[in-house]
Amino acid sequence: HGAASGESSAAGAKGGTALGEVKKTQPTVDVLMRAIRDPRHLIFSGMDATAQQLVCDCMFEQQARQGQTVIKQGEYGDIVYIVESGRYEVYLEQAGAQPVASYEAGDSFGELALMYSCARAATVTCTTPGLLWGLDRISYKKIVQQAAASSANDLEAMLKAVAPLRDLDARQLMALTHSMQIV
């Protein structure tokens, strides 16, 4: 999988730690934040501003050259990509040699394999050289866990301020907090 898909070289480009920050220009940050906030990208939906900023900070750069297979259908995948520039065509083995979709600036791909630890559902090939930003599964999970913990703490503090709930012990308050869903 490594060389063909570009994921091995991308993982090395991160430079180590899962939540390690990579320096980005303001135009790049703007593209990434627009994509992260875009409701079409379900992987980032429901994240608060802090979590969205962490996603942006944790993304690593990957140059894409014409003809490069970025992800390959059927292979294990643990990176989601946001397109800063270039054009990328999507192919399904069952659809033959014709592309079924394409991605350009602001689009993302690779979410399903990252979120569900499953094989890649399609092959994505670079048709116009460009720049991708990737987020690995470990960083994504840490961000989601941090956001959930922060949200639970905020909810618990709010519940403690409600008069009828003040007599609940810590275990009961935690159970109530974990049973609630913010919509």
Side-chain angles (χ1 to χ4, degrees), residues 28 31 60-68 70 81-89 103-106 109 125-134:
T28 292
V31 167
F60 59 89
E61 179 182 81
Q62 180 176 327
Q63 296 287 330
R65 64 188 185 290
Q66 187 171 354
Q68 175 186 355
V70 180
Y81 295 97
I82 291 178
V83 177
E84 180 174 343
S85 62
R87 181 175 169 84
Y88 306 83
E89 291 186 340
Y103 298 118
E104 295 179 340
F109 58 90
T125 303
C126 177
T127 57
T128 303
L131 184 61
L132 298 168
W133 289 90

Side-chain angles (χ1 to χ4, degrees), residues 17-159:
T17 63
L19 291 176
E21 189 171 329
V22 175
K23 185 69 176 154
K24 297 167 185 71
T25 65
Q26 191 57 51
T28 292
V29 169
D30 294 343
V31 167
L32 293 176
M33 291 305 291
R34 265 193 310 276
I36 292 165
R37 292 179 181 132
D38 188 326
R40 295 176 303 145
H41 304 204
L42 297 178
I43 190 169
F44 306 121
S45 67
M47 289 185 171
D48 65 15
T50 302
Q52 291 172 344
Q53 187 60 55
L54 270 174
V55 166
C56 183
D57 291 346
C58 291
M59 296 198 95
F60 59 89
E61 179 182 81
Q62 180 176 327
Q63 296 287 330
R65 64 188 185 290
Q66 187 171 354
Q68 175 186 355
T69 298
V70 180
I71 62 174
K72 184 164 177 50
Q73 185 173 348
E75 290 185 350
Y76 172 78
D78 65 349
I79 298 172
V80 60
Y81 295 97
I82 291 178
V83 177
E84 180 174 343
S85 62
R87 181 175 169 84
Y88 306 83
E89 291 186 340
V90 182
Y91 297 89
L92 298 173
E93 288 175 2
Q94 56 272 33
Q98 293 301 314
V100 295
S102 63
Y103 298 118
E104 295 179 340
D107 290 332
S108 69
F109 58 90
E111 296 93 338
L112 294 177
L114 181 99
M115 292 183 345
Y116 301 114
S117 296
C118 62
R120 296 290 190 187
T123 296
V124 178
T125 303
C126 177
T127 57
T128 303
L131 184 61
L132 298 168
W133 289 90
L135 179 71
D136 64 279
R137 177 180 287 112
I138 293 169
S139 297
Y140 174 73
K141 282 188 171 189
K142 284 185 178 182
I143 291 166
V144 169
Q145 289 168 348
Q146 286 175 3
S150 175
S151 184
N153 290 339
D154 293 346
L155 184 56
E156 187 174 329
M158 182 185 73
L159 292 175

